[in-house]
């Protein structure tokens, strides 16, 4: 299985040497559940693009510090890529910005939320196999999906982000607002870096405290990797 990672964001230069870039985080998260996968990266934020959606068996869309509404030269082409891959039936996973961008590309809407920043560990309620399960997951976002695209089902969300997990019924697309690739150390470092500037202290302090509990990254990895394998016929 060849999985293409489309890098839409860059880890802060003060953190990348310790924690790696976003594609490295995704490889660490998914490899235990997809040990035979061959991961390839294109940094779309730097102008790198695959030839087309069939270059890989599946695609992962990463987070980004940008919003889907920003006037960056790579955002509109990435929306086009999402639509092309959906039409071609190539599975796609979207995380955080990738979740929002897929919603925008496929007929929904994402924007800055009046609820403000979500950071630290949030509790997501997700319907899987006919039963609702709770997933404590790391989040880091101001924007969120506010209008669900046609053909998308809301699998779950949190009190802060009700449309937090979407599965599309007319295309093999699964997206989530949370960050299953983030570990607690990276999330804490990121919150400390942003506290008092982009993240208000009143949000940063409880977000840091929430990281005393572990996220359900492995459980989310088993579920999302299982979804990919099912879409690719095992």
């Amino acid at each position: 299985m060849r999985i293409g990672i489309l890098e839409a964001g860059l880890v802060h230069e003060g953190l990348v040497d310790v924690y790696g870039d976003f594609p490295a985080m995704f490889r660490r998260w998914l490899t235990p559940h997809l040990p035979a996968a061959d991961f390839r990266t294109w940094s779309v934020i730097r102008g790198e693009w695959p030839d087309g959606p069939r270059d890989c068996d599946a695609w992962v869309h990463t987070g980004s510090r940008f919003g889907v509404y920003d006037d960056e030269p790579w955002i509109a082409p990435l929306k086009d890529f999402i639509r092309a891959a959906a039409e071609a039936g190539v599975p796609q996973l979207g995380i955080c910005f990738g979740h929002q961008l897929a919603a925008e590309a496929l007929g929904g809407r994402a924007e800055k939320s009046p609820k403000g920043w979500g950071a630290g560990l949030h509790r997501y309620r997700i319907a899987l196999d006919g039963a609702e399960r709770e997933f404590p997951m790391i989040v880091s976002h101001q924007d969120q999906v506010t209008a669900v695209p046609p053909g998308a089902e809301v699998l779950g969300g949190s009190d802060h982000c009700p449309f937090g997990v979407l599965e599309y019924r007319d295309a093999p697309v699964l997206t989530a607002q949370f960050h299953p690739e983030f570990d607690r150390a990276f999330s804490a470092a990121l919150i400390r870096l942003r506290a008092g500037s982009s993240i208000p202290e009143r949000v940063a302090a409880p977000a840091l405290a929430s990281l005393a509990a572990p996220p359900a990254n492995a459980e989310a990895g088993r579920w999302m990797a299982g979804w990919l394998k099912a879409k690719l016929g095992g």
Side-chain angles (χ1 to χ4, degrees):
M1 180 190 301
R2 180 177 291 182
I3 298 177
I5 300 174
L6 298 182
E7 184 184 36
L10 303 175
V11 175
H12 188 278
E13 61 183 11
L15 303 179
V16 68
D17 288 344
V18 177
Y19 301 103
D21 59 15
F22 290 136
M25 294 182 196
F26 277 101
R27 290 193 298 271
R28 287 197 297 266
W29 169 57
L30 283 172
T31 295
H33 313 291
L34 297 170
D38 174 20
F39 292 95
R40 305 290 176 91
T41 296
W42 287 266
S43 185
V44 296
I45 193 171
R46 294 187 174 105
E48 300 172 6
W49 293 92
D51 291 334
R54 296 194 183 278
D55 279 8
C56 287
D57 301 308
W59 298 95
V60 174
H61 302 282
T62 76
S64 178
R65 69 180 180 86
F66 292 103
V68 298
Y69 43 76
D70 285 329
D71 189 24
E72 293 294 313
W74 50 272
I75 290 180
L78 189 52
K79 289 181 184 178
D80 290 340
F81 186 94
I82 289 171
R83 286 188 285 264
E87 290 176 7
V90 181
Q92 300 178 82
L93 287 179
I95 299 300
C96 195
F97 174 84
H99 167 71
Q100 298 159 14
L101 196 68
E104 282 269 335
L106 298 173
R109 182 171 177 80
E111 57 193 325
K112 202 172 295 297
S113 170
K115 295 180 180 181
W117 269 96
L121 199 75
H122 285 199
R123 298 194 174 275
Y124 274 68
R125 296 171 296 278
I126 304 173
L128 297 176
D129 300 322
E132 186 174 272
R133 293 180 53 194
E134 186 174 271
F135 283 70
M137 301 302 302
I138 291 171
V139 302
S140 181
H141 65 100
Q142 296 183 82
D143 298 351
Q144 55 180 281
V145 174
T146 56
V148 177
E153 177 183 353
V154 180
L155 291 188
S158 68
D159 291 340
H160 183 80
C161 181
F163 304 143
V165 184
L166 300 178
E167 183 176 10
Y168 293 72
R169 295 309 182 192
D170 51 0
V173 181
L174 176 65
T175 67
Q177 181 58 61
F178 54 72
H179 280 282
E181 80 283 14
F182 282 12
D183 63 23
R184 286 186 283 177
F186 175 74
S187 179
L190 190 61
I191 293 168
R192 292 189 184 102
L193 184 70
R194 293 172 168 172
S197 54
S198 60
I199 300 181
E201 290 285 0
R202 62 178 174 77
V203 175
L208 285 169
S210 74
L211 294 171
N217 290 353
E219 292 88 339
R222 283 193 290 271
W223 158 46
M224 290 182 164
W227 178 89
L228 274 177
K229 288 187 282 189
K231 294 301 179 184
L232 293 170

